mmCIF file of all heavy atoms in Angstrom:
data_model
loop_
_atom_site.group_PDB
_atom_site.id
_atom_site.type_symbol
_atom_site.label_atom_id
_atom_site.label_comp_id
_atom_site.label_asym_id
_atom_site.label_seq_id
_atom_site.Cartn_x
_atom_site.Cartn_y
_atom_site.Cartn_z
ATOM 1 N N MET E 492 103.339 86.020 113.480
ATOM 2 C CA MET E 492 104.433 85.091 113.234
ATOM 3 C C MET E 492 103.920 83.714 113.696
ATOM 4 O O MET E 492 103.642 83.487 114.918
ATOM 5 C CB MET E 492 105.655 85.459 114.010
ATOM 6 C CG MET E 492 106.126 86.916 113.609
ATOM 7 S SD MET E 492 107.706 87.343 114.375
ATOM 8 C CE MET E 492 107.325 87.238 116.095
ATOM 9 N N ASN E 493 103.786 82.798 112.705
ATOM 10 C CA ASN E 493 103.383 81.414 112.999
ATOM 11 C C ASN E 493 104.487 80.492 112.769
ATOM 12 O O ASN E 493 105.494 80.754 111.998
ATOM 13 C CB ASN E 493 102.107 81.146 112.179
ATOM 14 C CG ASN E 493 100.876 82.011 112.514
ATOM 15 O OD1 ASN E 493 100.781 82.403 113.615
ATOM 16 N ND2 ASN E 493 100.052 82.220 111.532
ATOM 17 N N ARG E 494 104.303 79.239 113.229
ATOM 18 C CA ARG E 494 105.310 78.198 113.019
ATOM 19 C C ARG E 494 106.712 78.733 113.243
ATOM 20 O O ARG E 494 107.623 78.494 112.436
ATOM 21 C CB ARG E 494 105.148 77.545 111.592
ATOM 22 C CG ARG E 494 103.793 77.081 111.374
ATOM 23 C CD ARG E 494 103.617 76.066 110.239
ATOM 24 N NE ARG E 494 104.393 76.507 109.046
ATOM 25 C CZ ARG E 494 103.843 77.268 108.061
ATOM 26 N NH1 ARG E 494 102.627 77.627 108.143
ATOM 27 N NH2 ARG E 494 104.622 77.531 106.998
ATOM 28 N N LEU E 495 106.943 79.361 114.305
ATOM 29 C CA LEU E 495 108.214 79.825 114.735
ATOM 30 C C LEU E 495 109.297 78.793 114.886
ATOM 31 O O LEU E 495 108.899 77.719 115.354
ATOM 32 C CB LEU E 495 108.145 80.803 115.877
ATOM 33 C CG LEU E 495 107.534 82.125 115.666
ATOM 34 C CD1 LEU E 495 107.018 82.799 117.003
ATOM 35 C CD2 LEU E 495 108.444 83.161 114.984
ATOM 36 N N ASN E 496 110.516 79.125 114.460
ATOM 37 C CA ASN E 496 111.600 78.152 114.785
ATOM 38 C C ASN E 496 112.752 78.935 115.335
ATOM 39 O O ASN E 496 112.739 80.175 115.435
ATOM 40 C CB ASN E 496 112.068 77.462 113.437
ATOM 41 C CG ASN E 496 112.458 78.429 112.379
ATOM 42 O OD1 ASN E 496 113.376 79.179 112.541
ATOM 43 N ND2 ASN E 496 111.768 78.413 111.215
ATOM 44 N N THR E 497 113.782 78.229 115.780
ATOM 45 C CA THR E 497 114.827 78.908 116.549
ATOM 46 C C THR E 497 115.529 79.860 115.711
ATOM 47 O O THR E 497 116.211 80.880 116.266
ATOM 48 C CB THR E 497 115.834 77.808 117.055
ATOM 49 O OG1 THR E 497 116.289 77.074 115.994
ATOM 50 C CG2 THR E 497 115.178 76.823 118.098
ATOM 51 N N GLU E 498 115.521 79.745 114.400
ATOM 52 C CA GLU E 498 116.207 80.681 113.597
ATOM 53 C C GLU E 498 115.511 82.037 113.450
ATOM 54 O O GLU E 498 116.059 83.041 112.935
ATOM 55 C CB GLU E 498 116.468 80.132 112.142
ATOM 56 C CG GLU E 498 117.393 78.979 112.107
ATOM 57 C CD GLU E 498 117.597 78.402 110.673
ATOM 58 O OE1 GLU E 498 116.914 78.831 109.815
ATOM 59 O OE2 GLU E 498 118.494 77.590 110.553
ATOM 60 N N ASP E 499 114.337 82.159 114.071
ATOM 61 C CA ASP E 499 113.511 83.377 114.061
ATOM 62 C C ASP E 499 113.850 84.185 115.218
ATOM 63 O O ASP E 499 113.472 85.335 115.488
ATOM 64 C CB ASP E 499 112.045 83.092 114.093
ATOM 65 C CG ASP E 499 111.561 82.471 112.774
ATOM 66 O OD1 ASP E 499 112.023 82.860 111.668
ATOM 67 O OD2 ASP E 499 110.811 81.500 112.949
ATOM 68 N N THR E 500 114.781 83.661 116.178
ATOM 69 C CA THR E 500 115.180 84.367 117.330
ATOM 70 C C THR E 500 115.967 85.511 116.947
ATOM 71 O O THR E 500 116.964 85.546 116.237
ATOM 72 C CB THR E 500 115.991 83.524 118.277
ATOM 73 O OG1 THR E 500 115.182 82.441 118.766
ATOM 74 C CG2 THR E 500 116.578 84.226 119.415
ATOM 75 N N ALA E 501 115.538 86.750 117.410
ATOM 76 C CA ALA E 501 116.179 88.028 117.014
ATOM 77 C C ALA E 501 115.471 89.174 117.751
ATOM 78 O O ALA E 501 114.462 89.034 118.341
ATOM 79 C CB ALA E 501 116.083 88.187 115.469
ATOM 80 N N VAL E 502 116.066 90.328 117.683
ATOM 81 C CA VAL E 502 115.388 91.457 117.987
ATOM 82 C C VAL E 502 114.668 92.004 116.713
ATOM 83 O O VAL E 502 115.311 92.132 115.689
ATOM 84 C CB VAL E 502 116.305 92.630 118.472
ATOM 85 C CG1 VAL E 502 115.575 93.930 118.797
ATOM 86 C CG2 VAL E 502 117.070 92.189 119.788
ATOM 87 N N TYR E 503 113.432 92.255 116.846
ATOM 88 C CA TYR E 503 112.559 92.691 115.675
ATOM 89 C C TYR E 503 112.332 94.182 115.758
ATOM 90 O O TYR E 503 111.879 94.680 116.840
ATOM 91 C CB TYR E 503 111.319 91.929 115.704
ATOM 92 C CG TYR E 503 111.430 90.539 115.227
ATOM 93 C CD1 TYR E 503 112.060 89.560 115.993
ATOM 94 C CD2 TYR E 503 111.006 90.173 113.905
ATOM 95 C CE1 TYR E 503 112.260 88.277 115.485
ATOM 96 C CE2 TYR E 503 111.177 88.862 113.433
ATOM 97 C CZ TYR E 503 111.731 87.939 114.246
ATOM 98 O OH TYR E 503 111.976 86.616 113.764
ATOM 99 N N TYR E 504 112.596 94.866 114.680
ATOM 100 C CA TYR E 504 112.402 96.275 114.511
ATOM 101 C C TYR E 504 111.368 96.655 113.514
ATOM 102 O O TYR E 504 111.311 96.017 112.441
ATOM 103 C CB TYR E 504 113.630 96.992 114.192
ATOM 104 C CG TYR E 504 114.826 96.800 115.146
ATOM 105 C CD1 TYR E 504 115.748 95.633 114.953
ATOM 106 C CD2 TYR E 504 115.003 97.687 116.198
ATOM 107 C CE1 TYR E 504 116.775 95.485 115.817
ATOM 108 C CE2 TYR E 504 116.089 97.544 117.064
ATOM 109 C CZ TYR E 504 116.947 96.416 116.895
ATOM 110 O OH TYR E 504 117.969 96.269 117.650
ATOM 111 N N CYS E 505 110.489 97.676 113.783
ATOM 112 C CA CYS E 505 109.694 98.194 112.701
ATOM 113 C C CYS E 505 110.304 99.482 112.257
ATOM 114 O O CYS E 505 111.082 100.175 113.042
ATOM 115 C CB CYS E 505 108.239 98.377 113.122
ATOM 116 S SG CYS E 505 108.029 99.759 114.351
ATOM 117 N N ALA E 506 110.077 99.847 110.967
ATOM 118 C CA ALA E 506 110.740 101.008 110.372
ATOM 119 C C ALA E 506 109.691 101.686 109.515
ATOM 120 O O ALA E 506 108.785 101.054 109.002
ATOM 121 C CB ALA E 506 111.940 100.684 109.658
ATOM 122 N N ALA E 507 109.847 102.968 109.270
ATOM 123 C CA ALA E 507 108.918 103.768 108.461
ATOM 124 C C ALA E 507 109.570 104.651 107.481
ATOM 125 O O ALA E 507 110.624 105.176 107.828
ATOM 126 C CB ALA E 507 107.929 104.535 109.354
ATOM 127 N N HIS E 508 108.985 104.826 106.396
ATOM 128 C CA HIS E 508 109.497 105.766 105.356
ATOM 129 C C HIS E 508 108.224 106.667 105.028
ATOM 130 O O HIS E 508 107.233 106.148 104.456
ATOM 131 C CB HIS E 508 110.066 105.158 104.155
ATOM 132 C CG HIS E 508 110.313 106.080 102.962
ATOM 133 N ND1 HIS E 508 111.334 106.950 103.054
ATOM 134 C CD2 HIS E 508 109.642 106.382 101.834
ATOM 135 C CE1 HIS E 508 111.343 107.768 101.933
ATOM 136 N NE2 HIS E 508 110.280 107.311 101.275
ATOM 137 N N PRO E 509 108.163 107.991 105.185
ATOM 138 C CA PRO E 509 107.055 108.823 104.939
ATOM 139 C C PRO E 509 107.009 108.966 103.406
ATOM 140 O O PRO E 509 107.706 109.805 102.792
ATOM 141 C CB PRO E 509 107.370 110.209 105.614
ATOM 142 C CG PRO E 509 108.382 109.840 106.555
ATOM 143 C CD PRO E 509 109.236 108.749 106.031
ATOM 144 N N GLY E 510 106.262 108.102 102.757
ATOM 145 C CA GLY E 510 106.205 108.206 101.279
ATOM 146 C C GLY E 510 106.239 106.704 100.784
ATOM 147 O O GLY E 510 106.106 105.792 101.517
ATOM 148 N N GLN E 511 106.500 106.607 99.428
ATOM 149 C CA GLN E 511 106.484 105.272 98.813
ATOM 150 C C GLN E 511 107.890 104.920 98.474
ATOM 151 O O GLN E 511 108.575 105.695 97.813
ATOM 152 C CB GLN E 511 105.529 105.218 97.713
ATOM 153 C CG GLN E 511 104.090 105.345 98.117
ATOM 154 C CD GLN E 511 103.133 104.974 97.003
ATOM 155 O OE1 GLN E 511 103.304 105.397 95.792
ATOM 156 N NE2 GLN E 511 102.036 104.346 97.261
ATOM 157 N N LEU E 512 108.201 103.604 98.750
ATOM 158 C CA LEU E 512 109.518 103.106 98.435
ATOM 159 C C LEU E 512 109.439 102.368 97.110
ATOM 160 O O LEU E 512 108.495 101.596 96.884
ATOM 161 C CB LEU E 512 110.033 102.223 99.506
ATOM 162 C CG LEU E 512 110.464 102.969 100.821
ATOM 163 C CD1 LEU E 512 110.731 101.936 101.890
ATOM 164 C CD2 LEU E 512 111.593 103.822 100.651
ATOM 165 N N GLY E 513 110.534 102.458 96.313
ATOM 166 C CA GLY E 513 110.621 101.641 95.104
ATOM 167 C C GLY E 513 110.846 100.235 95.406
ATOM 168 O O GLY E 513 111.336 99.909 96.508
ATOM 169 N N VAL E 514 110.495 99.436 94.484
ATOM 170 C CA VAL E 514 110.657 97.938 94.661
ATOM 171 C C VAL E 514 112.108 97.534 94.972
ATOM 172 O O VAL E 514 112.404 96.626 95.726
ATOM 173 C CB VAL E 514 110.173 97.206 93.420
ATOM 174 C CG1 VAL E 514 110.494 95.759 93.468
ATOM 175 C CG2 VAL E 514 108.631 97.402 93.248
ATOM 176 N N THR E 515 112.996 98.303 94.312
ATOM 177 C CA THR E 515 114.438 97.938 94.509
ATOM 178 C C THR E 515 115.021 98.238 95.907
ATOM 179 O O THR E 515 116.109 97.692 96.270
ATOM 180 C CB THR E 515 115.294 98.564 93.496
ATOM 181 O OG1 THR E 515 115.143 99.996 93.555
ATOM 182 C CG2 THR E 515 114.841 98.111 92.086
ATOM 183 N N VAL E 516 114.352 99.143 96.683
ATOM 184 C CA VAL E 516 114.995 99.549 97.888
ATOM 185 C C VAL E 516 114.077 99.169 99.162
ATOM 186 O O VAL E 516 114.511 99.334 100.347
ATOM 187 C CB VAL E 516 115.196 101.091 97.942
ATOM 188 C CG1 VAL E 516 116.237 101.450 96.908
ATOM 189 C CG2 VAL E 516 113.850 101.793 97.784
ATOM 190 N N ARG E 517 112.815 98.725 98.960
ATOM 191 C CA ARG E 517 111.993 98.436 100.138
ATOM 192 C C ARG E 517 112.560 97.374 101.005
ATOM 193 O O ARG E 517 112.060 97.305 102.200
ATOM 194 C CB ARG E 517 110.541 98.142 99.609
ATOM 195 C CG ARG E 517 110.524 96.811 98.811
ATOM 196 C CD ARG E 517 109.093 96.446 98.411
ATOM 197 N NE ARG E 517 108.391 97.521 97.774
ATOM 198 C CZ ARG E 517 107.342 97.329 97.014
ATOM 199 N NH1 ARG E 517 106.896 96.138 96.629
ATOM 200 N NH2 ARG E 517 106.651 98.388 96.466
ATOM 201 N N ARG E 518 113.450 96.611 100.618
ATOM 202 C CA ARG E 518 114.016 95.564 101.430
ATOM 203 C C ARG E 518 115.343 96.084 102.140
ATOM 204 O O ARG E 518 115.952 95.275 102.872
ATOM 205 C CB ARG E 518 114.306 94.330 100.698
ATOM 206 C CG ARG E 518 112.961 93.625 100.181
ATOM 207 C CD ARG E 518 113.316 92.346 99.483
ATOM 208 N NE ARG E 518 112.162 91.526 99.195
ATOM 209 C CZ ARG E 518 111.995 90.250 99.086
ATOM 210 N NH1 ARG E 518 113.148 89.514 99.480
ATOM 211 N NH2 ARG E 518 110.973 89.694 98.817
ATOM 212 N N LEU E 519 115.739 97.268 101.941
ATOM 213 C CA LEU E 519 116.937 97.824 102.408
ATOM 214 C C LEU E 519 116.754 98.780 103.537
ATOM 215 O O LEU E 519 115.939 99.702 103.471
ATOM 216 C CB LEU E 519 117.747 98.449 101.323
ATOM 217 C CG LEU E 519 117.933 97.690 100.020
ATOM 218 C CD1 LEU E 519 118.631 98.551 98.918
ATOM 219 C CD2 LEU E 519 118.828 96.489 100.407
ATOM 220 N N GLY E 520 117.434 98.438 104.668
ATOM 221 C CA GLY E 520 117.220 99.212 105.891
ATOM 222 C C GLY E 520 117.450 100.715 105.741
ATOM 223 O O GLY E 520 116.763 101.541 106.251
ATOM 224 N N TYR E 521 118.457 101.104 104.899
ATOM 225 C CA TYR E 521 118.923 102.532 104.740
ATOM 226 C C TYR E 521 117.732 103.353 104.127
ATOM 227 O O TYR E 521 117.738 104.529 104.136
ATOM 228 C CB TYR E 521 120.222 102.639 104.022
ATOM 229 C CG TYR E 521 120.137 102.394 102.587
ATOM 230 C CD1 TYR E 521 119.553 103.253 101.616
ATOM 231 C CD2 TYR E 521 120.629 101.212 101.995
ATOM 232 C CE1 TYR E 521 119.524 103.047 100.264
ATOM 233 C CE2 TYR E 521 120.630 100.936 100.688
ATOM 234 C CZ TYR E 521 120.018 101.816 99.787
ATOM 235 O OH TYR E 521 119.954 101.575 98.420
ATOM 236 N N ALA E 522 116.852 102.653 103.479
ATOM 237 C CA ALA E 522 115.734 103.463 102.738
ATOM 238 C C ALA E 522 114.695 103.952 103.800
ATOM 239 O O ALA E 522 113.865 104.817 103.416
ATOM 240 C CB ALA E 522 115.013 102.473 101.726
ATOM 241 N N TYR E 523 114.734 103.502 105.029
ATOM 242 C CA TYR E 523 113.753 103.847 105.984
ATOM 243 C C TYR E 523 114.325 105.000 106.899
ATOM 244 O O TYR E 523 115.538 104.953 107.181
ATOM 245 C CB TYR E 523 113.284 102.638 106.867
ATOM 246 C CG TYR E 523 112.606 101.650 106.078
ATOM 247 C CD1 TYR E 523 113.398 100.716 105.244
ATOM 248 C CD2 TYR E 523 111.214 101.549 106.025
ATOM 249 C CE1 TYR E 523 112.637 99.792 104.501
ATOM 250 C CE2 TYR E 523 110.483 100.682 105.273
ATOM 251 C CZ TYR E 523 111.243 99.683 104.540
ATOM 252 O OH TYR E 523 110.555 98.770 103.820
ATOM 253 N N ASP E 524 113.395 105.907 107.218
ATOM 254 C CA ASP E 524 113.820 107.046 107.981
ATOM 255 C C ASP E 524 113.725 106.979 109.457
ATOM 256 O O ASP E 524 114.418 107.543 110.283
ATOM 257 C CB ASP E 524 113.074 108.284 107.544
ATOM 258 C CG ASP E 524 113.066 108.501 106.074
ATOM 259 O OD1 ASP E 524 112.358 107.913 105.319
ATOM 260 O OD2 ASP E 524 113.933 109.370 105.662
ATOM 261 N N TYR E 525 112.725 106.205 109.928
ATOM 262 C CA TYR E 525 112.430 106.028 111.393
ATOM 263 C C TYR E 525 112.422 104.657 111.745
ATOM 264 O O TYR E 525 111.973 103.766 111.092
ATOM 265 C CB TYR E 525 111.063 106.671 111.681
ATOM 266 C CG TYR E 525 110.935 108.097 111.073
ATOM 267 C CD1 TYR E 525 109.756 108.309 110.277
ATOM 268 C CD2 TYR E 525 111.716 109.135 111.555
ATOM 269 C CE1 TYR E 525 109.544 109.600 109.710
ATOM 270 C CE2 TYR E 525 111.588 110.405 110.903
ATOM 271 C CZ TYR E 525 110.480 110.640 110.049
ATOM 272 O OH TYR E 525 110.270 111.885 109.623
ATOM 273 N N TRP E 526 112.871 104.398 112.943
ATOM 274 C CA TRP E 526 113.008 103.051 113.537
ATOM 275 C C TRP E 526 112.545 102.992 114.986
ATOM 276 O O TRP E 526 112.679 104.012 115.748
ATOM 277 C CB TRP E 526 114.525 102.631 113.536
ATOM 278 C CG TRP E 526 115.026 102.429 112.162
ATOM 279 C CD1 TRP E 526 115.504 103.387 111.228
ATOM 280 C CD2 TRP E 526 115.080 101.156 111.587
ATOM 281 N NE1 TRP E 526 115.841 102.799 110.144
ATOM 282 C CE2 TRP E 526 115.703 101.463 110.169
ATOM 283 C CE3 TRP E 526 114.809 99.837 111.765
ATOM 284 C CZ2 TRP E 526 115.865 100.420 109.206
ATOM 285 C CZ3 TRP E 526 115.008 98.821 110.777
ATOM 286 C CH2 TRP E 526 115.500 99.128 109.563
ATOM 287 N N GLY E 527 111.923 101.853 115.300
ATOM 288 C CA GLY E 527 111.523 101.660 116.676
ATOM 289 C C GLY E 527 112.679 101.134 117.579
ATOM 290 O O GLY E 527 113.869 100.971 116.959
#
């Protein structure tokens, strides 16, 4: 993460889906099975 600004302040999570996600769902949290 470069050129950070105050709007980037947040808790950041990584998530995983065992397999491939379609283009329409890869931006949706519910599509992921595991979370940090």
Side-chain angles (χ1 to χ4, degrees):
M492 306 186 295
N493 298 329
R494 303 199 316 270
L495 286 160
N496 58 59
T497 56
E498 294 183 348
D499 296 317
T500 294
V502 177
Y503 284 71
Y504 299 91
C505 71
H508 171 75
Q511 292 191 318
L512 292 169
V514 172
T515 58
V516 297
R517 61 178 50 157
R518 295 184 172 211
L519 303 176
Y521 72 75
Y523 294 80
D524 302 86
Y525 310 123
W526 292 83

